[in-house]
Every structure is written in C-alpha cells, then in structure tokens.
Amino acid sequence: MEMSLTQEKKQSNALPMVIVAGLFFILGFATWLNGSLMPYLQQILQLTPFQASLILFSFYIAVTFTALPSAAIIRKVGYKNGMALGMGTMMIAGLLFIPAAKTQIFPLFLLAQLVMGAGQTLLQTAVNPYVVRIGPEESAAARISIMGILNKGAGVVAPIVFTALILSGFSGTVGTELSQIQIDAMADKLILPYLGMALFIGILGFAVKKSPLPELASEAEEGEADHKGQLKEALSHPNLALGVVALFLYVAVEVIAGDTIGAFALALGVENYSVMTSYTMGCMVLGYILGIALIPRFISQQKALMVSAVLGLALSFGVIFGDNNSFAIANSLSFILGGAQLPDTLILIAFLGLANAIVWPAVFPLALSGVGKLTSVGSALLVMGISGGAFGPLFWSLVSGTSGQAIDLQSGYVVMLPCYLFILFYAVKGCKMKSWK
C-alpha cells in the first residue's frame, strides 16, 4: 500500500522532487516547441495570422475540456498513474504529427495539438499539487520557481533543437515564395524529431509508473463529496476563483510573449525567427532564479506579483509604441546577443518573460491557500487557466488583422494591457479575499 506524503513527513523529498523536475522539463519542451512550430507552419502552409493562431488555440483549448475530467481521473487512479496516463496521451499526440506532416493537412496538425494539450493537462493537474504540498506553504512559490526554471529552461532548448533538426538547410527562405518541393522537404523534416519525442515520452511515462514516487492523500481517501458540491465549494473561495481568472489572463500574455514573437520576427524579416522563443524563455529563467533568491526571504509572494504586473504593463506599452527600426537595445546588449541585430520591440517582448516568470509561482499557492481537502479540484480549476493560452494569441491575431504586416501585428499586443491590470488587482486585493461579502 502506497504511503501518503502527509503521513510520512520524515521521508526524504529528494527523489520525488527529482522525478517531478524531469516532468516539468518534458512539459516545457513540448509546450514551447509551439513558438517555433507556429511560424514554421505559417511559412510552409501559407497561413494567415488568424489561421496560425489556431495552432496555439487547439493546444491550449484542450485544457478547458479536460481539466476537470483530469481531476476525476486522478481521484480514481492516483497522482502517479495520472502522470503516466498524461505522458501516454502526449506520446500519441507526437505520433499524430507524422501523418500530419506527410499529408500537410492543416486540421491534422490541429488534432495533434489538441491531443497534446489534453495529455499536458492531465500531467499538469497531477504534478502541480506535488510541488505545492511537498513542503511549507509559505515557500511554495520558491519550489514552483525551481520547477519553472526547468520548464522554461526547456523552452530555451526546444527552439534551438527545433531549428537545428528541422530548419537546417533552409536558410534564405524567409520572405520568399516556396516551391512545392521546398514545402515537402520542410514538412518531412518534422517526422523524425516528433517520432523520437513520442518514443522518449512514452518510455519516461512507463518509468514514472514503475518509480517509487509516493502518493499524495486524495479527496477520495478523505471522504469525497459529490463533484458538483466540490466545485461549488471550491468557487466559494474568492482567492481561488479570482486566481483562476488571474492565471487565465497570465497564460494569455505568457503565450503571446513566448509563441507569437517568432511570427512577429518572421514578419520583420528576421531569418532566425524559429529561435526567438528562446529569448523569452531565457528571460523567464532569469525571473525564476530571482524568485528563488528573493521569495520569501526578501519579498513576499504577493509583493512579487505586484512588481511583475507593473513591469508587464510598462513593457507592453514599450512593445505597442516602440520603433521596429530601432536597434538601440540590441546594440547595448550585443555582448549577450552575440551581435544579433534585433529590433527593440522584439527584445521588449522577450523581456516580458522576466515580468511573467513569478506570476504562476505566486498565484498558484495564493489561490490554493485555505482550500484544504479541495486541493485537487482547486488545482484542476487553476490548471484550466492554461486555456488562456488559446485565447491570448487568438485575440492578438484578431486585433492584428489579416495583412500579416509587422506594424499590424505590433498593434495586436494591446490585448496584453487589460490582462496585466487584472493581475495587478489580484496582487493588491483579490488574493486576500476570503469571502464574497
């Protein structure tokens, strides 16, 4: 019989944290491939900005339909088996990319993205509570930050790997009309990498199932109420309900910053558009490192969230009203960028990663504070916030219009402003609310 982490407090947390850390890296790698995949498919399938945004929409919308069912699955099979099932679903999604690439049928890519999003949701719902409940609540943001470094670190690596394995040999294709031979060759380049990723995730999922990862105490063990009753009770906690909205809007701006930067770079004529997500993720890694160093030692989770929201607002204004022909920031940071000449607006989008890094680690524990036995339902509701990643790029593309011109895409970033304003409200007041009265 598996022991409960809440009952065996003396057991070392080292092994569970190592296993969970590996899962966060896998989540990050599969997620942030989208930042390279979106402009890549836009180029070879000749998609409009709106059609390209559906690549992200189909991935993140899966959260809306599968988050609460994921919580139900976990209650039945346990957290560890839930992780394994989530990875098995991700493996199937990776295999679906093979017929999609061979046929170049856009809906097949969307189906693969949808299945990948469903698998990620199940894995996220299972793995996040481990990080929150494996130690003291007041230091949960720091632990989530450690996981975030691995998740976003994978986001740095994934576009570089994508570029090396898939885009190699296709330099000089940006801004040119591709022949069918070039399109076929570029599409076929997707097959082996996604096959390899699918096999790796499947093997790792089997290893997790056989691992000595201990089980968390579940609501089923503590006396489960009916599902609707649990959901209603969970939403009676304002800090949780408002936290779901805050994470929805946060993921919207996180995905806009991480996954549309490549499409914006493509419109600006930047040749290495497929690695731009790495810049945003690199800034997020830096933000997580600062979070570990500062929270809660020098700054509380709540105050760090306030700083993040204000910084996000300032950078958003800089992106919207910035000059696409200015390279002042790139010139001042040439020692970091290796001399890459990138417009200031692109670099400011990357800097949004710094503003976004602390939001999830701060909101998640603040939202779950005081929910007790409703942790898994609360976690599922918060994970549903990931569906913001479906709507953020979609609204960005709608505001940007259909031209695909850089100046129009730039104006689309105005959708980030209300998102950061709500996150600021949650940091100042929403997270403190314990009653709707």
Side-chain angles (χ1 to χ4, degrees):
M1 182 176 180
E2 293 178 304
M3 67 185 77
S4 168
L5 284 175
T6 58
Q7 296 171 341
E8 297 291 332
K9 295 182 180 180
K10 293 184 179 180
Q11 178 178 321
S12 171
N13 292 329
L15 181 59
M17 287 296 285
V18 168
I19 294 173
V20 168
L23 297 182
F24 268 89
F25 186 88
I26 294 299
L27 281 168
F29 194 94
T31 298
W32 298 111
L33 273 177
N34 292 329
S36 299
L37 185 67
M38 177 182 171
Y40 186 77
L41 292 180
Q42 183 176 356
Q43 185 184 17
I44 65 175
L45 299 181
Q46 301 175 4
L47 306 175
T48 66
F50 176 75
Q51 289 173 322
S53 73
L54 294 179
I55 298 166
L56 303 178
F57 181 85
S58 59
F59 179 87
Y60 289 101
I61 197 62
V63 181
T64 303
F65 304 108
T66 58
L68 290 176
S70 292
I73 291 171
I74 290 167
R75 284 196 301 271
K76 290 184 178 297
V77 305
Y79 284 87
K80 185 170 73 170
N81 288 332
M83 293 177 197
L85 284 173
M87 298 182 77
T89 305
M90 290 170 64
M91 179 188 72
I92 293 172
L95 295 175
L96 285 174
F97 275 94
I98 298 174
K102 291 299 293 183
T103 61
Q104 298 166 32
I105 297 175
F106 186 49
L108 281 181
F109 282 107
L110 299 183
L111 175 61
Q113 288 285 86
L114 187 71
V115 176
M116 182 67 77
Q120 288 245 17
T121 302
L122 181 53
L123 181 54
Q124 284 267 18
T125 305
V127 78
N128 273 293
Y130 260 95
V131 187
V132 174
R133 295 172 62 182
I134 207 167
E137 183 179 289
E138 61 272 14
S139 61
R143 291 193 302 278
I144 296 177
S145 291
I146 294 173
M147 298 301 126
I149 288 175
L150 291 161
N151 185 281
K152 287 3 176 192
V156 175
V157 174
I160 296 173
V161 172
F162 183 96
T163 301
L165 296 180
I166 297 174
L167 266 180
S168 59
F170 297 109
S171 60
T173 59
V174 173
T176 64
E177 186 174 345
L178 300 177
S179 67
Q180 189 59 49
I181 293 175
Q182 287 177 308
I183 292 173
D184 292 341
M186 292 178 76
D188 286 345
K189 276 274 195 173
L190 290 169
I191 296 175
L192 285 180
Y194 273 94
L195 175 61
M197 185 175 72
L199 293 176
F200 177 78
I201 291 175
I203 292 170
L204 189 59
F206 179 78
V208 167
K209 179 174 175 59
K210 297 298 183 181
S211 73
L213 192 67
E215 188 62 79
L216 288 172
S218 68
E219 289 78 33
E221 295 168 354
E222 297 170 357
E224 181 181 352
D226 67 281
H227 184 67
K228 290 184 179 179
Q230 282 189 327
L231 183 59
K232 184 177 179 180
E233 186 179 353
L235 292 176
S236 70
H237 296 266
N239 61 309
L240 173 59
L242 294 173
V244 172
V245 178
L247 285 187
F248 177 91
L249 297 175
Y250 152 68
V251 177
V253 294
E254 180 192 40
V255 174
I256 288 174
D259 286 347
T260 70
I261 187 173
F264 188 37
L266 179 64
L268 289 170
V270 175
E271 190 70 32
N272 61 337
Y273 66 84
S274 62
V275 300
M276 291 308 302
T277 296
S278 294
Y279 290 100
T280 306
M281 294 301 103
C283 288
M284 290 199 77
V285 169
L286 176 60
Y288 277 115
I289 292 173
L290 289 174
I292 294 170
L294 300 177
I295 302 173
R297 198 174 190 182
F298 299 104
I299 185 172
S300 68
Q301 295 172 156
Q302 180 190 356
K303 289 182 179 178
L305 188 59
M306 291 172 59
V307 171
S308 295
V310 172
L311 180 59
L313 285 168
L315 290 171
S316 296
F317 276 109
V319 172
I320 296 164
F321 299 106
D323 183 359
N324 289 327
N325 295 313
S326 173
F327 299 87
I329 300 176
N331 291 333
S332 63
L333 297 177
S334 60
F335 66 99
I336 296 176
L337 298 175
Q341 286 296 295
L342 301 175
D344 289 350
T345 45
L346 274 182
I347 297 177
L348 290 175
I349 294 173
F351 282 167
L352 281 167
L354 184 62
N356 294 336
I358 299 301
V359 179
W360 182 281
V363 171
F364 211 92
L366 288 171
L368 288 179
S369 178
V371 303
K373 65 179 183 179
L374 299 168
T375 295
S376 112
V377 172
S379 175
L381 287 170
L382 290 169
V383 169
M384 283 182 70
I386 296 175
S387 62
F391 295 96
L394 189 68
F395 291 142
W396 169 79
S397 70
L398 290 173
V399 173
S400 299
T402 59
S403 73
Q405 297 297 311
I407 189 66
D408 294 324
L409 297 183
Q410 182 181 11
S411 67
Y413 289 101
V414 72
V415 300
M416 296 191 295
L417 294 178
C419 299
Y420 284 117
L421 282 172
F422 186 89
I423 293 169
L424 182 60
F425 159 76
Y426 185 77
V428 173
K429 183 178 180 180
C431 68
K432 298 177 182 178
M433 295 173 61
K434 300 301 179 185
S435 170
W436 289 111
K437 297 181 181 180

